Amino acid sequence: MSEESKKPPAPSSASPEASGRFSRRWFLQGVALSAGTAVLPGEGLLGGSAFAAPQAPARIGPEPVQIALSVNGKDYQVKVEPRVTLLNALRNYLNLGTNTPIDLTGTKRVCDRGSCGSCTVILDGKTVYSCSVLAVECQGKKITTVEGVAEGNQPHPIQQAFVECDGLMCGFCTPGFIVSSKALLDRNPHPTPTEIRRALNGNICRCGTYNRVFQAVELASIRMKVKGG
Amino acid sequence: MPNWPSERQLMGTKVPRVDGFKKVSGGAKYSYDINLPGLLYAMILRSPYAHCKIVSIDLGPAESMPGVKAVHLIKKPGDELHYAGDEIAAVAAMTEEVAEDALRAIKVKYQVLPHVSSEDQALKAGAPAARAGSADERGEKIEDAIKEAAAVHEGTYGCEVITHVCLETHGLVARWEGEELTAWASTQAVHGTGTALAQHFKIPKATCITNFMGGGFGSKFGPDIQGIVAAELAKKAGAPVKLLLNRAEEHNAAGNRPSAFAKVKAAVDKTGKLIAFDAETWGTGGHSRGAGFPLPYVYPVDNRRRKHTDCFINAGDNRAMRAPGHPQGSLVMDSLMDDLCHKFDPKLDPVEFRLRNLPSTVLRDIYTKELLLGAARIGWKENWHPRGDNAPGPWKRGLGVALGTWGGGPGDAQATCTLHGDGRVEVKCGTQDLGTGTTTVVPLVAAEILGLQIGDIAGSIGSSAFPPAGGSGGSTSCGGVSVAVAMACTKALAELFAKVAPKLECKPEDLQAEYGRVFVTGNLERGFTWKQACAVLGQQPITASADKKEGEKGMATSTVGGAQFADVSVDVETGRVRLNKIVAVADCGLVVNRLTCESQVLGGVIMGINYGLYEQRRLDPPTGLPVNPDMEFYLLAGAGDIPEIDVVLLDYPERGVIGIGEPPTIPTAAAISNAVANAIGVRVPVIPLTPRRVLEALEGKA
């Protein structure tokens, strides 16, 4: 293992490449883990509030571990087995064991194998397939889901444009397209048609709305330009 | 006879979906998204072999696992499993992860049986798996006609099995409250699913809710095994259960479009008219279902013979898929037509050849318009050349055309319209929105009839608690639902007029509702705002019900035709097909919502592009196991594969409303195949037109 890979990554370097070099050692150094006692699944998943001081246990799991996820600017405590993907943590675990269920099911599970893009979220500024990232990898990172794209109660221009251009039909792939499009406009506010297609090549739509999705991204881009984007 | 208003404010315009913001913000809750307190997750154990028998099964180890709340046996020892993916047993557990572990803990002993995994194997002499299906022979002079023909062509054409790939998989969330069952199902038929569940459990009623639905394409009309199993598990566990298939299950067990192969001999007379047609056809629709498809297709021929054989193989069964049978019929027939045209006269324009062979029905006029319109839009006159592009370099360009037809017509639907004293309007209909835009059609039509804006109407669909409507299949929802809603609103409005007329000192029949007002015809001033008018109702709202049967004649129609054109470039060195442009001319009758109608056509074309170039379910011959039950090796077009698609709606308001879900996906693949043949000079006989197949055709091996 190289010296470099022993260091915890700076948050800004969490690109797909960086997460591809994810090493368990620096993960364990940098992550706070719960006491790690065997807990029956579902038994007081948030019980105990045992968010222990940073330590380096020999291994994590297979028992559930308590982690903190920062989703759309809010921090959530969840207890998940290390094998739980970020996608499943968002969809199935955030609302467990609380009196005020958090319903973040906008992120969709479709292929569950990193092929279709329906589960796309923004992780520290870069799009990732949340089906292909473990929840435990995401501590300390900023996660933006489709629910976090709107600016307060105002729809993001990309959302407005998708509705106006009918860049959606059944809508099941739409959260992924919205997130990918938003990430594109964040890094390249005025993409060319080719750049739009390239940026959205990781998202599959079965109803067949692509052409209108392209229109929507162009429309949003123009509007953001007018607004001084 | 009831009819649509002759002047329409909203119908035919582009209206964004009323549920659009929910879909772009994650606020749309699909059945897959229903999370209830105490929800359990269920999974199904499936056959790991293409063909086997269960010798013994022990659920004990799963049952005793911590977190497992219920187990359910679907098959028993001695039962045969017909394909890899056939259901065996199911578990419900507190998390998906535990459910997955529990499936692994179930102990099953199998006796592996010989399998059949391809049409060719099934057709081999002595194989028990093929069954001669229909034989159809009409006209007595096939041989004579062929003898005297100006040109005869013989060819073999084919399409592979594809799967629906609904992005939201099949399944439901089941909850029991005493003897009452509620199911949030991903279904194209809330009433049908509710009824089927109630029948299975012998209860008076089960409620089925589908607020949002992630695609069905013909494959989701009932609870299916997984829906029944989810409800069984929920009953046993005393807790709500979510069971939605995973991606592999969706490919293997949730339906497919059968393959279709045809060996055809056909002939034309000296005027270029089809005079004889002789075909042997075969295909597979799985282990127990057939593979029928219409042939001859679109183009009539008096002397014809067809023998069809269904090949039963160890694979999941077919289900209706977007225009069942028609894309296959179109691919075979329109490929044949182009080859026949080329044989008859290599310089004859295939559009002209088709015009000579159109049916003498209501569709003749429609096809003629569509062919001429589409040819102009694709640049046919400028760019069509006889077969084989002689331009230098590896990229060869070609144009192709194909036709499709569909029945459709208004499906069963009832609706209610309630007008409240405070001006609120509620419209309910027990239909569902597959992504087609029905949620928007309901308030749009109501607003048109009541002279209001779409935002003034509270439309409700997607529950079997609402007035009965048929399943959304066969492109029948838009016609049936819009007529039922229009009739219910018309009746409610008549009742309102009866109450308002005395206040305006006029007869009810003198009143009209438009621009958000109720007024005496010809005098906008002599009337009330909608709210003022409804105030006469006080605390007694008006509710009117209607059935689509009350107005369907003249307001909706069946029998549609469509034409599509493709402009392609083919790299003869690599076999790659690149689409330059597709033109789709769609027979739309009276368009309800132009925006979503165009989207439907666009979507149909893209599904046709997938069919023509990419999709194929593959089974591994030695094992019979599916090779690509995923979205990586099962190819679907991505953003970079999509050409310019020119959608042309052939407005025909006097025909009434026409459902547009199916027709536009029919001729796309055939038009692409014809364009490829036009570009490279030879037919690539089987779709998808993979690079390998293109190269084989160029080398004369196909």
Side-chain angles (χ1 to χ4, degrees):
Chain A
M1 185 179 286
S2 72
E3 277 306 302
E4 195 195 355
S5 63
K6 288 180 187 170
K7 290 178 202 159
S12 61
S13 72
S15 63
E17 299 78 47
S19 52
R21 294 207 322 273
F22 172 80
S23 116
R24 204 178 79 173
R25 185 187 294 186
W26 52 246
F27 166 73
L28 291 174
Q29 285 168 350
V31 169
L33 296 170
S34 72
T37 48
V39 177
L40 293 184
E43 183 186 280
L45 283 175
L46 287 175
S49 74
F51 202 63
Q55 53 178 283
R59 61 179 177 83
I60 58 163
E63 307 82 15
V65 291
Q66 182 104 23
I67 59 167
L69 292 178
S70 166
V71 188
N72 302 330
K74 279 189 193 160
D75 289 331
Y76 300 97
Q77 301 290 325
V78 289
K79 206 165 192 176
V80 292
E81 292 179 43
R83 61 172 157 169
V84 172
T85 61
L86 173 59
L87 170 64
N88 288 354
L90 291 169
R91 289 182 55 84
N92 298 344
Y93 285 86
L94 284 193
N95 63 338
L96 275 185
T98 62
N99 291 327
T100 50
I102 294 110
D103 206 7
L104 288 181
T105 52
T107 308
K108 297 292 184 261
R109 186 166 73 185
V110 171
C111 73
D112 210 17
R113 289 292 182 278
S115 314
C116 77
S118 293
C119 66
T120 304
V121 301
I122 300 174
L123 193 63
D124 278 347
K126 297 279 171 82
T127 52
V128 296
Y129 292 150
S130 64
C131 73
S132 303
V133 182
L134 295 175
V136 292
E137 290 179 82
C138 298
Q139 292 206 91
K141 296 181 180 176
K142 284 198 169 66
I143 302 158
T144 305
T145 69
V146 67
E147 290 91 345
V149 170
E151 290 141 3
N153 288 329
Q154 275 301 103
H156 187 279
I158 192 66
Q159 293 174 309
Q160 179 76 32
F162 263 66
V163 174
E164 284 178 35
C165 299
D166 210 34
L168 54 99
M169 293 184 76
C170 84
F172 213 71
C173 70
T174 309
F177 271 99
I178 292 284
V179 171
S180 294
S181 304
K182 192 223 178 239
L184 166 68
L185 294 175
D186 282 351
R187 66 176 185 271
N188 178 4
H190 309 300
T192 64
T194 308
E195 286 169 338
I196 292 172
R197 282 167 191 252
R198 200 171 293 152
L200 299 178
N201 235 342
N203 294 72
I204 298 280
C205 165
R206 181 51 155 167
C207 296
T209 58
Y210 293 107
N211 308 60
R212 292 191 147 173
V213 167
F214 307 151
Q215 282 170 14
V217 178
E218 282 182 43
L219 178 64
S221 164
I222 291 164
R223 284 193 180 148
M224 289 163 81
K225 196 174 200 170
V226 171
K227 272 178 73 182
Chain B
M1 198 168 73
N3 212 332
W4 294 105
S6 52
E7 280 176 35
R8 295 171 292 273
Q9 311 295 322
L10 286 167
M11 289 179 81
T13 65
K14 293 190 173 188
V15 180
R17 287 165 204 264
V18 293
D19 53 357
F21 281 103
K22 284 190 177 165
K23 289 186 176 180
V24 296
S25 64
K29 294 294 163 207
Y30 297 75
S31 301
Y32 213 153
D33 303 330
I34 300 297
N35 282 339
L36 301 170
L39 184 71
L40 303 177
Y41 297 86
M43 288 186 184
I44 295 177
L45 179 71
R46 293 171 181 276
S47 172
Y49 299 108
H51 192 197
C52 63
K53 198 177 256 190
I54 301 175
V55 175
S56 65
I57 179 161
D58 181 8
L59 294 177
E63 212 164 0
S64 60
M65 276 178 71
V68 173
K69 297 297 175 184
V71 296
H72 181 75
L73 206 54
I74 301 170
K75 301 264 174 28
K76 53 187 192 308
D79 283 350
E80 203 176 322
L81 302 174
H82 297 281
Y83 66 98
D86 215 346
E87 299 85 358
I88 299 170
V91 301
M94 295 187 71
T95 67
E96 289 189 317
E97 290 74 20
V98 172
E100 214 173 323
D101 292 345
L103 287 191
R104 280 194 210 104
I106 297 173
K107 290 201 172 81
V108 190
K109 277 195 186 128
Y110 304 94
Q111 180 196 348
V112 178
L113 301 170
H115 68 267
V116 177
S117 63
S118 73
E119 295 88 343
D120 287 349
Q121 283 178 353
L123 286 170
K124 271 198 187 120
R131 185 172 70 197
S134 57
D136 177 22
E137 189 163 351
R138 295 176 215 194
E140 293 159 4
K141 299 174 185 162
I142 296 179
E143 271 74 26
D144 291 350
I146 287 175
K147 247 180 242 163
E148 289 159 22
V152 178
H153 173 76
E154 214 173 333
T156 301
Y157 306 95
C159 324
E160 303 283 359
V161 174
I162 69 166
T163 67
H164 299 70
V165 201
C166 308
L167 293 197
E168 183 184 33
T169 55
H170 286 61
L172 53 78
V173 175
R175 181 185 68 190
W176 290 90
E177 288 167 313
E179 285 296 289
E180 278 181 37
L181 173 61
T182 304
W184 288 264
S186 185
T187 182
Q188 299 175 229
V190 287
H191 275 277
T193 301
T195 304
L197 284 168
Q199 279 170 354
H200 178 87
F201 289 99
K202 301 187 172 62
I203 51 175
K205 197 181 81 173
T207 304
C208 177
I209 299 170
T210 308
N211 288 324
F212 290 90
M213 202 269 202
F217 313 112
S219 65
K220 292 182 176 170
F221 283 104
D224 294 336
I225 293 175
Q226 71 275 356
I228 301 279
V229 164
E232 294 275 12
L233 288 166
K235 201 169 190 185
K236 285 184 186 175
V241 164
K242 180 188 281 192
L243 201 174
L244 279 105
L245 304 184
N246 67 30
R247 184 49 49 191
E249 294 173 304
E250 183 72 12
H251 275 287
N252 299 335
N256 53 67
R257 177 185 288 164
S259 61
F261 294 88
K263 191 165 177 274
V264 197
K265 191 177 193 180
V268 288
D269 65 14
K270 60 180 190 290
T271 67
K273 237 182 139 335
L274 204 51
I275 51 167
F277 182 93
D278 189 2
E280 271 178 57
T281 62
W282 66 97
T284 183
H287 65 88
S288 76
R289 295 191 55 152
F293 62 98
L295 197 75
Y297 188 67
V298 173
Y299 313 97
V301 50
D302 292 336
N303 297 305
R304 64 182 198 253
R305 179 164 51 212
R306 180 183 175 191
K307 284 181 190 155
H308 179 77
T309 304
D310 289 321
C311 307
F312 298 101
I313 68 169
N314 294 107
D317 273 334
N318 89 58
R319 294 187 188 179
M321 181 166 180
R322 208 164 182 177
H326 285 236
Q328 298 98 301
S330 166
L331 186 280
V332 171
M333 192 72 191
D334 256 311
S335 300
L336 171 78
M337 289 297 278
D338 250 32
D339 292 350
L340 202 49
C341 174
H342 176 69
K343 192 84 172 266
F344 174 62
D345 177 0
K347 290 203 174 74
L348 178 62
D349 178 347
V351 172
E352 167 61 28
F353 184 68
R354 280 168 176 77
L355 287 170
R356 293 182 196 178
N357 281 288
L358 291 179
S360 49
T361 62
V362 61
L363 290 180
R364 173 181 284 272
D365 174 47
I366 287 165
Y367 280 136
T368 304
K369 281 184 185 157
E370 290 174 338
L371 282 169
L372 298 178
L373 193 56
R377 301 286 279 244
I378 199 87
W380 189 271
K381 275 215 172 84
E382 302 81 349
N383 295 317
W384 184 80
H385 52 73
R387 199 165 268 195
D389 179 4
N390 297 322
W395 283 98
K396 307 295 181 192
R397 189 169 168 199
L399 296 181
V401 59
L403 302 180
T405 184
W406 185 247
D412 288 340
Q414 295 174 26
T416 60
C417 171
T418 303
L419 309 182
H420 292 275
D422 58 2
R424 281 181 303 122
V425 182
E426 288 179 295
V427 181
K428 291 176 180 164
C429 177
T431 183
Q432 49 281 314
D433 189 336
L434 285 51
T436 48
T438 316
T439 304
T440 307
V441 162
V442 168
L444 193 161
V445 169
E448 179 72 56
I449 300 297
L450 301 174
L452 298 172
Q453 292 302 309
I454 195 163
D456 300 330
I457 314 290
S460 299
I461 67 166
S463 170
S464 61
F466 299 143
S472 290
S475 303
T476 59
S477 281
C478 191
V481 168
S482 55
V483 172
V485 168
M487 295 311 294
C489 292
T490 304
K491 283 179 168 178
L493 193 60
E495 284 187 47
L496 180 67
F497 285 172
K499 300 210 163 157
V500 169
K503 309 253 175 202
L504 290 170
E505 295 170 344
C506 69
K507 289 185 219 144
E509 54 268 33
D510 294 337
L511 288 173
Q512 78 180 83
E514 230 170 304
Y515 320 116
R517 292 180 65 81
V518 173
F519 57 94
V520 178
T521 301
N523 189 350
L524 196 61
E525 296 297 314
R526 198 174 148 207
F528 296 129
T529 65
W530 177 260
K531 260 195 164 174
Q532 288 167 342
C534 288
V536 304
L537 301 175
Q539 295 301 311
Q540 282 159 333
I542 292 169
T543 294
S545 303
D547 191 297
K548 64 100 193 185
K549 291 187 186 110
E550 296 167 36
E552 60 184 327
K553 209 173 175 199
M555 293 178 78
T557 197
S558 63
T559 312
V560 300
Q564 290 186 19
F565 291 76
D567 176 343
V568 310
S569 293
V570 185
D571 183 343
V572 293
E573 289 174 356
T574 64
R576 197 186 144 211
V577 177
R578 192 179 67 202
L579 302 175
N580 301 316
K581 184 177 177 178
I582 305 274
V583 173
V585 192
D587 176 15
C588 287
L590 171 63
V591 176
V592 178
N593 183 352
R594 191 164 298 273
L595 189 63
T596 53
C597 184
E598 286 174 355
S599 287
Q600 283 272 81
V601 178
L602 185 65
V605 169
I606 290 174
M607 194 168 266
I609 290 172
N610 282 316
Y611 192 39
L613 294 182
Y614 305 114
E615 288 182 74
Q616 180 179 357
R617 183 201 65 192
R618 289 174 178 275
L619 301 175
D620 174 46
T623 61
L625 300 183
V627 174
N628 57 351
D630 50 42
M631 292 179 72
E632 187 173 8
F633 299 106
Y634 188 96
L635 301 182
L636 291 170
D641 303 310
I642 302 298
E644 177 194 352
I645 300 172
D646 184 7
V647 172
V648 186
L649 303 187
L650 190 73
D651 278 310
Y652 224 133
E654 56 274 32
R655 298 190 79 205
V657 176
I658 288 175
I660 198 66
E662 272 145 321
T665 205
I666 296 169
T668 320
I672 293 170
S673 179
N674 284 340
V676 169
N678 182 248
I680 65 175
V682 293
R683 168 70 52 187
V684 185
V686 179
I687 60 164
L689 306 174
T690 58
R692 180 187 173 144
R693 284 183 173 148
V694 171
L695 293 178
E696 283 176 351
L698 283 164
E699 288 167 18
K701 288 182 190 163

